[in-house]
Amino acid sequence: MFKILQKTQFSEKVFKFRIEAPEMAKHAHAGQFLMVRANERGERVPFTFADWNAEEGWVEFIFMVIGKTTTMLSTYEEGDSLQDVVGPLGVPTEMGEGTWVVIGGGVGLAIAFPVARQLVATGHEVHVIMGARTKDLLLLEDQFRSILPDDHLHITTDDGSYGEQGVVTAPLERLLEGGDADRVFCVGPVPMMKFSTLTAQKFGTPIIASLNPIMVDGTGMCGCCRVEIDGQTKFACVDGPDFDATKVDWNDLRARQAAYRTEEGQSLKAYEEANCACQR
Amino acid sequence: MPEVNGRWIADMKLPRTPDNEEPAAERACDFRPVDKGFTEEMAIAEASRCMRCKRPLCVDGCPVNIDIPLFITHIYNREFGHALDTIRESSMLPAICGRVCPQENQCEGKCIRGRKGEPVAIGQLERFLGDRPELASTPHMLPKSGKRVAVIGSGPSGIACAGELARNGFDVTIFEAFMTGGGVLVYGIPEFRLPKAVVKREIDGLKELGVKFEYNSVMGRLADAEELLGEKGFDAIYVATGAGLPKFLNIPGENLPNVFFANEYLTRVNLMKANSFPEFDTPTKRGKSVVVFGGGNVAMDAVRTAKRLGADRAIIAYRRTEEEMPCRKAELHHAKAEGVEVMPLVSPLEFLAGEDGNVCAIRVQRMELGEPDTSGRRRPVPIEGAIEEIPCDVAISAIGTNANPFAKLIGGMELNKWGYIVADEETGQTTNPKIWAGGDIVTGAATVILAMGAGKKAAADITEKLAG
Ligand SMILES: Cc1cc2nc3c(=O)[nH]c(=O)nc-3n(C[C@H](O)[C@H](O)[C@H](O)COP(=O)(O)OP(=O)(O)OC[C@H]3O[C@@H](n4cnc5c(N)ncnc54)[C@H](O)[C@@H]3O)c2cc1C
Ligand SMILES: Cc1cc2nc3c(=O)[nH]c(=O)nc-3n(C[C@H](O)[C@H](O)[C@H](O)COP(=O)(O)OP(=O)(O)OC[C@H]3O[C@@H](n4cnc5c(N)ncnc54)[C@H](O)[C@@H]3O)c2cc1C
Ligand code: SF4
Ligand code: SF4
Ligand code: FES
């Protein structure tokens, strides 16, 4: 069992857990992830390491509430335990030289934050572009602000409710034009990653995408997490999750992510109904 | 009465005792065990069929050379404890191997009685004993040596090695990536063929011997060989991570939603209990028309699982014919009785997507048998123009696996060019004098009994080398 040492709520739907996991803390790297099974009946779901501390023996992850598992996780409190936590999994992000632009969209911001923080910590100049549909869905703004100068944080919302109206590619294009970017890292919804990639490609700037297909084991055994890279099948959990974004087959990724939409809805509904019933 | 003047005469008239099966129509609806195993009467009757050969060919056929006529003799004499002890000299996992060994190619395939009739049901007799572990005598434990061994992986190979080592006085820790022990025995082979309780019994037995389990521990990421042997203070490592990555068919459409590798399909149900979704959180696809490519045990397990998840049509599509299928014959027989269709001589060309983007059909090439190839089997060759589409809503590929990618990350030992560990066939020792390895990560996907045997041999060698 893995004890929750600290629970932090960032906004209505965004939480951070600090978990007691001394061995994991010693071996974690930015860009790697862990997998959680909340209880005996739980699904195995992946979350990126947000932070870790080898001396104090803990790791952290940030999650946004979207479906059954994350809804249930949000009800866990400090002192509760998660049934299983396994990691570190995946290949650490390669933090090449130069100035970076880190793009995070939606829940991808939770994954972008630790990467940006690690890049800053290792002496890189970093710009961050935060994108969301609307202001309420913009995660972790304060956290990003705490590691970056104001002019290095660029915010866009689709509906213009906050920051610049539009999508992440507008500030990306400006940064690329101004010569302020040697490398780009992006994570978020497929269309966002796809258009960021096309923009970076226009300028010949290398771009990495952190891909998040559905996973089951996370150890390269099942093949559920497969993605198509340059026409070849790769496993995001052991070959990734980072890949050269210009080589990704985005349609394939989108289709595979959506494969269980019906069941996910059913699962959340059953959970909500059961929980109403016991409160009554 | 088979004994005449103290001489054993087998009952040659008695036909082979049939398996104690659940009715096919009923069992195909749920995950209950297909085969209930022999009763005591059945076991003793079957034991009377064994001729107690002076040169028992069955023993040659068994990869770990169990003294088969001896244990069968003990069964006949109702000395079940002695019978079990006899098996345990060679095999740690009789309840499991009795169920899943490909007996027709091994012990029973060589049994002399099979020449003119039916071989002795050695597997069933072994399982009969394995299911009564309380009858075995308490194993002899050597005094604690204070030496510590790390076993990576809790499949049959890791289990066998850890058990031997613990009895030999070592302090053993098993590191397992999953949240539960057993490897393929729990996530691959379904409940209806190998009940999880049987595997759990073996794991519990190890715990009683003092073996420690560290679950959720992906070695190579959480710690590598260097750290285990250094900072962590282990004196030796046994690597038994099993086979890994599924092999691809390498045809268009392979990544469409609802096209599975068998490992995923089976893991969702066996390990994550997707058959009980939504009480359990992990979902799966309950196809109405399911096609499985392959002809081995994995394919058979996948197709029979599909049937149990409610498929109206569950089809095994194989390149060659039924005769050449590498699966256990019993599984093919069970599958057919449960209503699985076998479609021989087809080779997949492409998975086709329907309007919703999910797989809706498979384009296949019909084959015929041509000239024998180097292995002596007649090679399937395409029949020109014979291309068909098979409609389906779930497709599963079960054509084998590649090496587990973590062997490289664990490090410290040589791998061959396919990523499998190089280890001495007799001792299991790798190119590193402190690391041993065995099971599927050395041989490639093989069998439970071979994995078990490798673990046992390595334990003997580790015991010897660490004593010096
Ligand atoms: C490598 C990786 C790192 C991730 N890191 C983070 C993170 O740091 N913070 C965060 O909030 N989210 C992260 N995610 C996404 C997170 O795993 C999903 O949000 C979570 O699984 C949703 O579960 P649910 O039951 O609440 O939602 P569901 O309703 O089950 O699913 C909602 C969507 O989440 C995705 N999803 C569902 N199940 C899985 C699964 N088993 N594996 C992967 N994706 C799944 C699907 O695209 C699905 O449509 C990451 C995903 C991956 C693959
Ligand atoms: C569906 C299916 C059906 C089969 N049917 C039969 C049959 O009927 N008869 C038969 O004889 N054989 C059968 N086999 C083959 C047989 O199961 C295998 O040959 C055997 O299990 C191999 O044993 P092993 O101990 O080498 O590895 P595995 O059983 O694969 O166990 C390896 C273990 O190591 C763990 N692991 C992997 N990497 C790491 C890591 N880095 N750190 C920690 N732990 C790790 C895995 O999670 C797993 O638990 C079948 C296989 C499958 C998949
Ligand atoms: S271990 Fe397998 S091959 Fe050997 S006797 Fe038992 S069933 Fe036969
Ligand atoms: S070969 Fe058959 S008959 Fe002979 S000892 Fe073995 S099991 Fe008995
Ligand atoms: S999640 Fe199973 S192989 Fe990646």
Side-chain angles (χ1 to χ4, degrees), chain A residues 32 34 48 70 94 101-102 121 135 147 151 158 162 171 174 198 208 216 229 258 266 268:
Chain A
Q32 287 185 306
L34 47 73
T48 306
T70 46
E94 245 182 79
V101 178
V102 173
K135 181 171 191 291
I147 58 165
D151 62 347
D158 294 3
Y162 192 63
R174 285 201 301 275
L198 291 173
I208 297 173
V216 178
I229 309 294
Q266 201 185 336
L268 182 60

Side-chain angles (χ1 to χ4, degrees), chain B residues 35-49:
Chain B
D35 182 331
K36 290 179 282 194
F38 280 179
T39 61
E40 209 168 295
E41 287 63 45
M42 291 165 91
I44 287 164
E46 187 61 20
S48 71
R49 296 183 65 234

Side-chain angles (χ1 to χ4, degrees), chain A residues 2 23-24 26-27 32 37 39-44 68-69 72 83-92 214 216-217 219-224 226-228 233 235 238 252 255-256 259-260 263-264 266-267 270, chain B residues 177-179 187 215-218 221-224 227 231-232 243-246 248 250 254-265 267-268 271-272 277-285 357-358 404-406:
Chain A
F2 292 75
E23 287 300 315
M24 218 180 295
K26 274 190 242 167
H27 296 91
Q32 287 185 306
R37 192 172 68 127
N39 61 29
E40 284 285 348
R41 296 176 166 220
E43 187 171 8
R44 294 164 64 95
K68 155 89 193 257
T69 303
M72 188 170 69
Q83 182 76 32
D84 298 292
V85 181
V86 54
L89 299 169
V91 181
I214 295 177
V216 178
D217 65 316
T219 66
M221 181 273 288
C222 76
C224 176
R226 59 200 194 271
V227 289
E228 243 174 83
T233 299
F235 291 177
V238 287
D252 163 70
R256 292 192 61 83
Y260 288 91
E263 292 83 355
E264 285 153 5
Q266 201 185 336
S267 184
Chain B
F178 269 129
M179 61 280 198
Y187 72 69
Y215 290 121
N216 295 309
S217 299
V218 179
R221 287 273 176 229
L222 201 57
D224 57 11
E227 184 175 335
E231 210 179 300
K232 293 267 187 298
L245 311 168
F248 310 132
N250 272 322
E254 193 161 19
N255 294 337
L256 288 174
N258 301 355
V259 178
F260 290 81
F261 289 118
N263 274 2
E264 179 191 345
Y265 191 73
T267 302
R268 281 183 181 270
L271 189 71
M272 306 308 296
F277 177 85
E279 287 95 86
F280 283 73
D281 292 348
T282 306
T284 189
K285 294 295 174 184
N358 300 332
N404 179 308
F406 289 97

Side-chain angles (χ1 to χ4, degrees), chain A:
Chain A
M1 299 287 267
F2 292 75
K3 196 159 140 198
I4 300 169
L5 299 174
Q6 204 181 76
K7 175 182 180 181
T8 315
Q9 182 160 14
F10 292 128
S11 66
E12 193 202 334
K13 297 207 163 214
V14 182
F15 297 84
K16 183 172 77 179
F17 278 171
R18 176 177 291 183
I19 310 288
E20 185 173 46
E23 287 300 315
M24 218 180 295
K26 274 190 242 167
H27 296 91
H29 297 276
Q32 287 185 306
F33 62 96
L34 47 73
M35 285 189 93
V36 172
R37 192 172 68 127
N39 61 29
E40 284 285 348
R41 296 176 166 220
E43 187 171 8
R44 294 164 64 95
V45 291
F47 298 107
T48 306
F49 287 114
D51 200 359
W52 55 91
N53 185 315
E55 276 84 58
E56 295 174 15
W58 50 257
V59 301
E60 291 181 342
F61 64 92
I62 296 169
F63 65 95
M64 180 157 105
V65 172
I66 43 176
K68 155 89 193 257
T69 303
T70 46
T71 304
M72 188 170 69
L73 281 177
S74 71
T75 67
Y76 279 60
E77 298 300 337
E78 284 172 13
D80 291 347
S81 287
L82 302 174
Q83 182 76 32
D84 298 292
V85 181
V86 54
L89 299 169
V91 181
T93 299
E94 245 182 79
M95 309 245 157
E97 299 280 297
T99 301
W100 282 71
V101 178
V102 173
I103 309 172
V107 65
L109 283 163
I111 304 172
F113 175 67
V115 172
R117 206 196 38 161
Q118 188 70 11
L119 281 166
V120 170
T122 48
H124 295 82
E125 185 177 348
V126 181
H127 286 269
V128 168
I129 306 176
M130 302 175 66
R133 256 188 298 127
T134 178
K135 181 171 191 291
D136 290 344
L137 296 174
L138 204 65
L139 329 181
L140 304 171
E141 184 188 346
D142 295 344
Q143 282 64 36
F144 279 107
R145 287 205 186 281
S146 73
I147 58 165
L148 293 169
D150 278 353
D151 62 347
H152 280 49
L153 191 67
H154 315 264
I155 298 177
T156 66
T157 49
D158 294 3
D159 63 359
S161 53
Y162 192 63
E164 173 179 340
Q165 191 200 338
V167 289
V168 295
T169 44
L172 175 62
E173 187 137 5
R174 285 201 301 275
L175 287 166
L176 290 163
E177 253 162 9
D180 287 327
D182 300 312
R183 289 164 199 282
V184 184
F185 175 95
C186 67
V187 53
V190 166
M192 187 219 87
M193 292 197 280
K194 181 171 158 187
F195 288 107
S196 299
T197 305
L198 291 173
T199 308
Q201 257 178 315
K202 236 175 26 190
F203 293 85
T205 308
I207 175 163
I208 297 173
S210 175
L211 304 186
N212 39 17
I214 295 177
M215 296 187 174
V216 178
D217 65 316
T219 66
M221 181 273 288
C222 76
C224 176
C225 66
R226 59 200 194 271
V227 289
E228 243 174 83
I229 309 294
D230 211 7
Q232 281 193 314
T233 299
K234 297 279 177 192
F235 291 177
C237 69
V238 287
D239 300 323
D242 294 353
F243 292 96
D244 177 346
T246 63
K247 305 275 162 64
V248 176
D249 181 332
W250 301 108
N251 292 340
D252 163 70
L253 177 65
R254 186 134 80 147
R256 292 192 61 83
Q257 278 179 340
Y260 288 91
R261 281 283 143 79
T262 315
E263 292 83 355
E264 285 153 5
Q266 201 185 336
S267 184
L268 182 60
K269 188 155 167 271
Y271 176 74
E272 285 173 345
E273 280 169 7
N275 278 34
C276 285
C278 55
Q279 273 154 16
R280 258 185 250 127

Side-chain angles (χ1 to χ4, degrees), chain B residues 146-229:
Chain B
K147 296 253 166 74
R148 300 175 63 219
V149 184
V151 172
I152 306 181
S154 65
S157 206
I159 292 178
C161 186
E164 276 304 87
L165 287 170
R167 276 186 283 275
N168 291 350
F170 292 94
D171 179 349
V172 184
T173 306
I174 296 189
F175 294 94
E176 167 55 51
F178 269 129
M179 61 280 198
T180 172
V184 168
L185 307 179
V186 293
Y187 72 69
I189 304 181
E191 177 77 15
F192 56 80
R193 198 148 76 81
L194 178 62
K196 302 298 155 262
V198 173
V199 183
K200 185 167 180 296
R201 200 163 66 203
E202 299 299 335
I203 302 286
D204 290 345
L206 291 183
K207 288 185 187 153
E208 273 162 37
L209 290 174
V211 173
K212 289 177 258 198
F213 281 84
E214 295 283 348
Y215 290 121
N216 295 309
S217 299
V218 179
M219 303 320 265
R221 287 273 176 229
L222 201 57
D224 57 11
E226 194 183 322
E227 184 175 335
L228 288 171
L229 294 169

